């Protein structure tokens, strides 16, 4: 996973109440399993989101030893998305109409035909999977999310909230400085800092 090797694009969140993580670790895994990833490979579904093993993204089965590492909680959310090409859909619709198999004339009938063919093509389409990783630093109540995408982070936080009944709070640089320094004098010194520019002569 990216936190152990590869590149990172980190977003930082604060978890105000982490009681659920400080109790039984099996309970945490049970909560994750309620929203584990379910395949849509043979289904007429456009998108599926769920938890998978952080170290085996193909495996929706989660274990304590995969999820907890020292004082960190590792999470991996898998997003599978199917798309149907508009050109392919229109070609299939025209092919069906030209074959004489349908006497579709009205707008509603044509709309229904397109929906039916779209569903059929979705069933045959292969999903494109992505993995969004997160690590909770339990001693510091901090979630590190490895994505630069606003939509992906939104999906992750939504699934996180459904799973644990907790919505992490985004930490911007100002909030991070406050949480890190924790002293008014140091914060004031940081606020008074001015930009410096150095020139080679």
């Amino acid at each position: 996973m990216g936190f152990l090797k590869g590149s990172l694009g980190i977003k930082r969140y604060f978890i105000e109440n982490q009681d659920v993580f400080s109790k039984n670790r099996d309970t945490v895994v049970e909560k994750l399993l309620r929203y584990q990833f379910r395949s849509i490979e043979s289904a007429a579904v456009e998108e599926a989101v769920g938890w998978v093993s952080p170290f085996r993204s193909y495996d929706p089965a989660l274990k304590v030893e995969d999820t907890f590492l020292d004082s960190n909680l590792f999470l991996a959310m898998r997003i599978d998305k199917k798309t149907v090409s508009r050109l392919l859909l229109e070609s299939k619709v025209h092919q069906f109409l030209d074959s004489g198999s349908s006497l579709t004339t009205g707008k509603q009938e044509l709309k229904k035909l397109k929906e039916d063919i779209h569903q059929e093509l979705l069933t045959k389409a292969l999903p494109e999977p992505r993995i969004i990783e997160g690590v909770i630093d339990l001693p510091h109540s901090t979630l590190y999310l490895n994505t630069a995408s606003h939509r992906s982070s939104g999906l992750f936080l939504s699934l996180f909230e459904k799973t644990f009944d907790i919505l992490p709070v985004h930490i911007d640089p100002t909030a991070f400085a406050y949480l890190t320094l924790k002293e008014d004098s140091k914060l004031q010194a940081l606020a008074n800092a001015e930009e410096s520019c150095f020139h080679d002569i």
Side-chain angles (χ1 to χ4, degrees), residues 101-119:
S101 301
S102 173
L103 298 177
T104 301
T105 55
K107 289 184 178 180
Q108 289 300 115
E109 291 176 321
L110 182 59
K111 181 180 179 182
K112 180 65 167 58
L113 175 63
K114 286 183 177 180
E115 289 174 351
D116 291 343
I117 294 177
H118 183 264
Q119 292 294 97

Side-chain angles (χ1 to χ4, degrees), residues 12-166:
R12 187 186 289 108
Y13 298 84
F14 179 67
I15 300 174
E16 295 181 284
N17 181 5
Q18 61 160 343
D19 289 346
V20 65
F21 307 116
S22 59
K23 296 177 182 177
N24 192 319
R25 293 186 170 188
D26 289 319
T27 302
V28 173
V29 173
E30 287 172 8
K31 288 179 178 292
L32 291 169
L33 287 171
R34 290 178 194 167
Y35 296 95
Q36 70 185 50
F37 176 81
R38 302 186 191 282
S39 175
I40 58 171
E41 189 164 328
S42 301
V45 178
E46 292 185 335
E47 187 174 67
V49 177
W51 302 115
V52 293
S53 168
F55 302 101
R56 297 184 305 280
S57 59
Y58 58 86
D59 188 358
L62 292 151
K63 301 176 183 177
V64 170
E65 54 268 28
D66 292 337
T67 307
F68 286 89
L69 184 61
D70 296 327
S71 59
N72 299 304
L73 171 60
F74 283 77
L75 299 170
M77 181 186 74
R78 177 170 168 173
I79 306 172
D80 272 23
K81 189 172 181 63
K82 288 183 176 184
T83 56
V84 173
S85 163
R86 179 181 295 181
L87 178 60
L88 176 60
L89 176 59
E90 290 178 353
S91 297
K92 289 290 184 181
V93 170
H94 288 300
Q95 182 181 354
F96 188 83
L97 293 174
D98 291 344
S99 69
S101 301
S102 173
L103 298 177
T104 301
T105 55
K107 289 184 178 180
Q108 289 300 115
E109 291 176 321
L110 182 59
K111 181 180 179 182
K112 180 65 167 58
L113 175 63
K114 286 183 177 180
E115 289 174 351
D116 291 343
I117 294 177
H118 183 264
Q119 292 294 97
E120 181 184 347
L121 292 174
L122 266 182
T123 303
K124 298 176 181 179
L126 289 176
E128 180 180 345
R130 286 186 298 126
I131 302 295
I132 307 300
E133 302 170 331
V135 171
I136 300 177
D137 179 355
L138 295 171
H140 297 94
S141 303
T142 303
L143 165 66
Y144 297 96
L145 194 54
N146 185 12
T147 180
S149 165
H150 180 71
R151 182 175 187 273
S152 295
S153 59
L155 286 173
F156 190 101
L157 294 175
S158 177
L159 183 61
F160 190 99
E161 185 179 19
K162 283 196 297 186
T163 304
F164 300 114
D165 293 322
I166 301 168

